[in-house]
């Protein structure tokens, strides 16, 4: 009898909750939104270089990874290195404010490194009421890319100023100022020095990697490249090498599937991409040559839907480089504190 009473009470409760789902949902949403909106995931770390991986994928469709995107914070500097599709919106979702963005640097003009620059520009503008254009720095063609973005967003920028007013979205802040640069020092402010170096991603030329140095901590970002001595030279003794990686043995499965499905042109593209990237094993060789402190692989191709595939992706990389090797994921945060050799990690 008692058991029946309990069951009836349970049913009444379930029906009550179902009937109240709209007000309950609204109350729950309001509570969570109040806690999450406006938070600042950049705050609270010690002085050092912080890297936030906002996109660790490639043009190969991957539900877990946005295209190339890396946010760098060092002292008062906030830089975005590459802005592939989806990256800036991921940052916003994690509570990383972009109002303080000082500049965007791009490694090369491939679409998977530049297609998400519009949202980054908008978030910097609305986040800071910027009155000046956002510097967009990169290899030859970058100024033209900036002009193209400005043209594409011309009407939108006008609408937003008209709607929100000059105090919130001032005229002039919703655009890029593009600058083509050669290899060499491209940024030097507040202790952070960024140096561009040429890599080999032919036929995409020029293509850059970047070296970051801040108060004794050092990071090299390879950009997209074949296994290249220039990366090893730039990375000599750095604390962290962030290298792109593609595993041909796993891409071969995609090629075979496309062939079987009769999609010969797409199959050929998956063959073509093999000749302008670096395998995880080659990246490990470069890390060993350069004697870096840690190797982090990013620009991961093909997609790895499970961590169980990491071993197959890495192959024998661990036998070639004795230091730590990691595979980046979207939301990974690495922090290199000043005055230490540590590379701390966290996830957003
Ligand atoms: Zn790429
Ligand atoms: Zn590329």
């Amino acid at each position: 009898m008692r058991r029946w009473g309990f069951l009836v009470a349970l049913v009444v409760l379930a029906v009550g909750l179902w009937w109240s789902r709209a007000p309950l949902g609204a109350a729950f949403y309001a509570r969570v939104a109040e806690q999450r909106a406006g938070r600042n995931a950049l705050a609270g770390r010690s002085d050092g270089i912080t890297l936030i991986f906002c996109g660790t994928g490639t043009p190969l469709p991957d539900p877990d990874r946005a295209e190339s995107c890396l946010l760098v914070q060092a002292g008062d500097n906030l830089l975005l290195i590459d802005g592939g599709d989806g990256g800036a919106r991921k940052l916003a979702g994690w509570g990383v404010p972009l109002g303080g963005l000082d500049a965007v640097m791009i490694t090369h003009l491939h679409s998977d490194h530049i297609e998400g620059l519009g949202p980054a520009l908008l978030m910097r503008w609305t986040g800071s009421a910027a009155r000046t254009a956002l510097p967009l720095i990169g290899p030859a063609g970058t100024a033209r890319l900036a002009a193209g973005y400005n043209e594409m967003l011309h009407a939108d920028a006008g609408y937003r100023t008209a709607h929100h007013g000059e105090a919130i979205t001032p005229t002039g802040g919703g655009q890029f100022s593009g600058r083509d640069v050669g290899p060499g020092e491209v940024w030097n402010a507040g202790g952070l020095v960024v140096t561009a170096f040429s890599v080999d991603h032919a036929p995409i030329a020029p293509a850059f990697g970047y070296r970051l140095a801040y108060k004794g901590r050092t990071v090299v970002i390879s950009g997209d490249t074949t296994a290249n001595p220039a990366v090893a030279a730039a990375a000599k003794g750095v604390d962290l090498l962030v290298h792109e990686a593609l595993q041909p043995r796993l891409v071969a499965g995609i090629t075979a599937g496309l062939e079987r499905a009769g999609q010969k042109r797409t199959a050929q593209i998956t063959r073509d991409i093999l000749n302008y990237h670096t395998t995880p094993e080659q990246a490990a060789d470069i890390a060993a040559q350069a004697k870096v402190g840690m190797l982090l692989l990013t620009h991961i191709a093909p997609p790895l839907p499970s961590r169980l595939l990491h071993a197959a992706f890495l192959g024998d990389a661990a036998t070639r480089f004795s230091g730590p090797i990691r595979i980046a994921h979207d939301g990974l945060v690495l922090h290199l504190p000043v005055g230490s050799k540590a590379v701390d990690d966290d996830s957003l």
Side-chain angles (χ1 to χ4, degrees), residues 108 110 112-113 201 204 224 276-277 299:
H108 63 298
H110 251 154
D112 58 311
H113 297 251
H201 192 39
I204 295 83
D224 284 14
Y276 63 6
H277 289 295
H299 200 272

Side-chain angles (χ1 to χ4, degrees), residues 133-138 142-147 150 175-180:
L134 177 63
L136 181 64
I137 299 164
T142 301
R144 185 175 177 182
L145 172 69
N150 292 344
Q175 52 188 306
F176 285 112
S177 63
R179 186 151 60 92
D180 293 358

Side-chain angles (χ1 to χ4, degrees), residues 117 248 291:
L117 291 175
K291 297 187 169 60

Side-chain angles (χ1 to χ4, degrees), residues 255 258-259 261-273:
T255 309
L258 290 166
E259 282 286 355
Q263 296 184 29
K264 295 201 177 308
R265 285 188 302 274
T266 316
Q268 185 55 42
I269 291 172
T270 64
R271 271 189 221 98
D272 291 342
I273 60 175

